[in-house]
Amino acid sequence: MFYAVAPEGEKGGTLRALARDGSPAGEVEHVDDLVAAVAERERGSAPRWVWASTARLYPRLLRAGVTVGRCHDLELTEALLLAFEGRPGESRSVGAALARLRGLPPPEEEPAEVEGEQQLLFGGEVAPPVEALVEVHAAQLARMEGRLRLLAAAESAGGLIAAEMSHEGLPWRADAHDELLTGLLGPRPAHGLRPRLLQELADRISAAFGHPVNPDSPQQLVKAFAGAGFSVPSTRAYVLKGISHPAVPAVLEYKELSRLHTAHGWNWLDAWAKGGRFRPEYVVGGVVSGRWATRGGGALQIPKVLRRAVVADPGHVLVVADAAQLEPRVLAALAGDAAFTEAAAQGDLYAALAEVFTGTPGGPSARDKAKIAMLSAMYGGGTGEAVQLLSVLKQRFPAAFEYVESAARAGERGELVRSLLGRTCPPASAEYRDLITTEAGRHAAASRGRFTRNFVVQATAAEWALAFMALLRPRLPAGAHLVFFQHDEVIVHTPQAEAEAVTRALHTAAAEAARLLFGDTPVAFPMEAATVSCYADAK
DNA sequence: TGAAGCCTATTA
DNA sequence: AACTTAATAGGCTTCA
């Protein structure tokens, strides 16, 4: 059922079979080649592997060509449990968890990753022994009831998927990227210089002001506009669009191109798109809501214009799929609001909601208003027109409205809120309760209310996405791989002949994820899937 | 000179 | 009309 596995030394390690309740079901086995031992048992009984950290152990297995089906990631699970218990600041490491079990003081800070991955992976001193894994694992099982167990399983599956996606990489054509940059910015400049077209824009900006202005400095820009009689509170694009000074068009264009150059220019290309693949490092559960973060490469902020560089290998295609209007659908399923659930059973949720709103001629349509109202309800907005739209929402969909309202009020009172499966928001700070009696405190309370209001929806949506990917993974045909994930969107790189099978798997997994989380809810979770050679050609 | 924080842009 | 949720990241500015 379970196999605990701890690396030891350069290549070796220890294993121990565990029963369903986590108790030892065999002796400790020492092996000289841990990767080979894992591969052999995976081919045999395909156990659920219990290890300290997928992120540290699994890449080594993947490099050796070994994949596993299921695991229990002790660190990811410990983080979930600590958050659930209202103490997210404590260390998630196996050593710290063991110390807490035994009532001992926390161990010394773990050594930094000085020797790189290798040291952390199989360095016997760093990795906790298998006995520690077994003890912490059994205790974690005892701390979790049904929903948390499902969450831990989903999070652990996420860890496997994240490592596999980094290993596989997103197909990235450096030549297409370079061509795009050269077309927009001019040829690649020498180190430290502006590309030609950026420099020309900078010169035009200085000329328009009649004196040198560095467009990279908001301070200088604000001063320059003030000197020309335009007092602006900031240099944000939407602010500048509202004033009529001859420098504005060049400033806006400069901002756009400069962003591309500094964030995703040639330096990025050199650093991140080696060997025709972009390999971001995904951080599972890196966001408190359970969304993933990435380290380096800004993988979740890739500008849409660069999708042109994401091209399938010869004989392959990309199946690009996103869950349409995921968050409002999640709210519908969570709240069980009868009228709202009925709308969420439709393919276009906002269009279905539009029936209760009235469009403004020349202004937002009824569908636009439905969307604004929904987003305001989930984000805690409510300025201007949204106030009226929210009251319509409250009147027609009282249960859905009450669901997010009560999460907001709980947050304002300083309480914890949880997702469907039990992912838990961080507690309010120690000073929070005293603070909320003051004027600044009311601001803090409103802010925390907006956070918890959004948390319950965003965190449950992240759970749906995690379940979706975990269910999709074993259904993918041979040769097809998940290569990108961005909150509610996935890309599968697959041999062309398997594209239809991949698309079927996507739809099946979406339906299964909905059933796993919400039972037989009538809410639909449609996937919009496109089969393309280039990411830019999807929708 | 380096750290910390501000400003701004990008994504869902 | 204007900025409400969650993030990452680079350049600039301020400060020790």
Side-chain angles (χ1 to χ4, degrees), chain A residues 76 79-80 92 155 162 281-295 300 423 426 458 462 466 485 487:
Chain A
L76 289 178
L80 290 171
R92 64 175 66 181
E155 193 88 331
E281 186 186 350
Y282 294 95
V283 186
V284 175
V287 180
V288 289
S289 65
R291 281 184 167 188
W292 292 9
T294 58
R295 248 192 306 264
L300 304 182
R423 194 183 301 268
Q458 189 181 114
L466 213 46
F485 169 55
H487 310 315

Side-chain angles (χ1 to χ4, degrees), chain A residues 59-129:
Chain A
R60 178 65 173 269
L61 293 166
L62 290 170
R63 280 194 293 273
V66 177
T67 58
V68 304
R70 300 180 303 162
C71 78
H72 176 108
D73 185 310
L74 291 165
E75 289 186 7
L76 289 178
T77 302
E78 191 67 21
L80 290 171
L81 284 168
L82 287 170
F84 186 87
E85 293 158 2
R87 39 184 203 167
E90 296 179 39
S91 169
R92 64 175 66 181
S93 77
V94 170
L98 192 65
R100 285 192 291 269
L101 285 176
R102 295 178 175 171
L104 298 171
E108 299 282 310
E109 265 312 290
E110 291 101 73
E113 232 170 306
V114 281
E115 296 296 319
E117 197 180 21
Q118 198 73 5
Q119 169 74 22
L120 213 52
L121 269 177
F122 284 76
E125 294 185 357
V126 179

Side-chain angles (χ1 to χ4, degrees), chain A residues 249-501:
Chain A
V251 171
L252 293 176
E253 198 180 343
Y254 181 90
K255 280 172 171 287
E256 199 178 323
L257 294 179
S258 166
R259 160 83 191 174
L260 182 65
H261 175 57
T262 55
H264 293 98
W266 289 280
N267 292 342
W268 184 95
L269 193 49
D270 289 347
W272 292 102
K274 292 172 184 151
R277 290 289 188 272
F278 171 40
R279 293 193 168 81
E281 186 186 350
Y282 294 95
V283 186
V284 175
V287 180
V288 289
S289 65
R291 281 184 167 188
W292 292 9
T294 58
R295 248 192 306 264
L300 304 182
Q301 291 82 36
I302 302 286
K304 288 182 174 168
V305 62
L306 281 188
R307 294 181 181 186
R308 192 49 69 193
V310 181
V311 181
D313 289 348
H316 289 64
V317 289
L318 303 169
V319 181
V320 179
D322 74 294
Q325 305 156 338
L326 178 59
E327 292 193 353
R329 291 177 193 280
V330 162
L331 174 56
L334 275 174
D337 183 298
F340 194 47
T341 297
E342 197 178 313
Q346 308 301 312
D348 184 346
L349 180 145
Y350 295 133
L353 288 182
E355 289 176 17
V356 305
F357 295 92
T358 316
T360 311
S365 67
R367 186 183 180 282
D368 290 342
K369 289 187 174 180
K371 189 171 177 177
I372 293 168
M374 270 320 303
L375 294 177
S376 297
M378 291 188 299
Y379 290 167
T383 53
E385 193 187 13
V387 178
Q388 283 183 328
L389 300 178
L390 271 175
S391 82
V392 174
L393 206 69
K394 177 180 183 177
Q395 199 183 350
R396 301 296 291 265
F397 309 111
F401 189 85
E402 178 54 26
Y403 194 91
V404 285
E405 277 298 308
S406 85
R409 288 195 300 267
E412 288 167 7
R413 289 192 300 266
E415 297 168 10
L416 300 177
V417 298
R418 305 187 198 280
S419 69
L420 176 67
L421 297 185
R423 194 183 301 268
T424 306
C425 77
S429 68
E431 313 84 53
Y432 183 85
R433 278 177 189 285
D434 303 328
L435 196 68
I436 54 179
T437 56
T438 69
E439 178 65 30
R442 276 189 287 281
H443 178 77
S447 171
R448 189 159 197 279
R450 283 195 303 273
F451 166 62
T452 53
R453 167 197 299 271
N454 184 252
F455 181 94
V456 293
V457 178
Q458 189 181 114
T460 306
E463 270 155 15
W464 183 91
L466 213 46
F468 161 71
M469 284 199 296
L471 294 162
L472 172 65
R473 181 170 171 261
R475 289 184 165 275
L476 287 177
H481 299 280
L482 273 162
V483 290
F484 192 62
F485 169 55
Q486 186 169 218
H487 310 315
D488 60 3
E489 177 181 7
V490 294
I491 301 181
V492 178
H493 188 228
T494 177
Q496 192 156 16
E498 301 290 358
E500 280 183 31

